[in-house]
Amino acid sequence: DIQMTQSPSTLSASAGDRVTITCRASESVSSWLAWYQQKPGKAPKLLIYKASNLESGVPSRFSGSGSGTEFTLTISSLQPDDFATYYCQQYYTYWTFGQGTKVEIK
Amino acid sequence: EVQLVESGGGLVQPGGSLRLSCAASGFTVSSYYMTWVRQAPGKGLEWVSVIYSGGSTYYADSVKGRFTISRHNSENTVNLQMNTLTAEDTAVYYCARGIGDSEKTLDYWGLGTPVSVSS
């Protein structure tokens, strides 16, 4: 099974900060990597697919990069609505999620 | 507008069974692959099962032999029959759709239905 590891688990930041979350796969997933945002009591929301493609309607401050086993999600200027938990997901072989990164207010 | 609405969750005793349903609108379930993903309290997301447009089904090892996914085209629903439930199956269960032969992954999710396994 492909394991996904995110870092950090928790990130404290202020509005306007540039934020980067890292995701590492236990084996290559090529570019079959997505990022989701989840808020308490809500379903996950797709932000990025195929490592770097922005889902329709998602603000351009979100971006993704990487391939193989190393990926990053960057929020260029954190907005109040962005405080949430973020998950990476590989879909090279079925679906596996990272453990999540909680972005909290500093 | 695409919508997914899960139902059927609740409290069940260990060893019991539940049948979850996911009602879709705004698209035809038989044209997509449909998955179930669960989230235990305070935990991350875990893929549970998938049914492809051609009818093939696959399961996570943690539920294989106990859960069965099915699709009812006339009702535009996807179901998850869960048997021999244990406390480790306690979670919110989401259904989500994906587009085959696409670069995208699970793009629409329901709000989830909670399942609690306890005596």
Side-chain angles (χ1 to χ4, degrees), chain B residues 15-102:
Chain B
S17 298
L18 272 179
R19 183 172 179 266
L20 306 184
S21 185
C22 172
S25 58
F27 72 101
T28 303
V29 295
S30 59
S31 298
Y32 293 77
Y33 64 85
M34 299 296 296
T35 68
W36 287 93
V37 176
R38 68 185 180 183
Q39 186 169 34
K43 302 296 184 181
L45 299 161
E46 179 190 20
W47 169 71
V48 172
S49 182
V50 62
I51 183 165
Y52 286 99
S53 57
S56 299
T57 59
Y58 298 92
Y59 302 91
D61 287 343
S62 58
V63 306
K64 200 173 296 183
R66 300 187 299 123
F67 289 13
T68 303
I69 191 171
S70 61
R71 186 177 67 211
H72 295 270
N73 295 340
S74 61
E75 298 175 0
N76 212 32
T77 59
V78 176
N79 298 318
L80 186 69
Q81 177 66 42
M82 306 187 297
N83 298 330
T84 321
L85 287 162
T86 73
E88 286 67 44
D89 297 315
T90 294
V92 174
Y93 285 72
Y94 298 98
C95 71
R97 78 163 199 183
I99 307 171
D101 294 326
S102 167

Side-chain angles (χ1 to χ4, degrees), chain A residues 36 38 43 55 89 91 94, chain B residues 39 58 103-106 110:
Chain A
Y36 290 87
Q38 188 180 34
E55 173 68 338
Q89 176 216 56
Y91 53 113
Y94 299 121
Chain B
Q39 186 169 34
Y58 298 92
E103 294 187 334
K104 281 196 180 182
T105 178
L106 309 174

Side-chain angles (χ1 to χ4, degrees), chain B residues 1-24:
Chain B
E1 180 191 6
V2 172
Q3 275 197 316
L4 294 165
V5 179
E6 303 92 336
S7 61
L11 175 63
V12 61
Q13 291 188 338
S17 298
L18 272 179
R19 183 172 179 266
L20 306 184
S21 185
C22 172

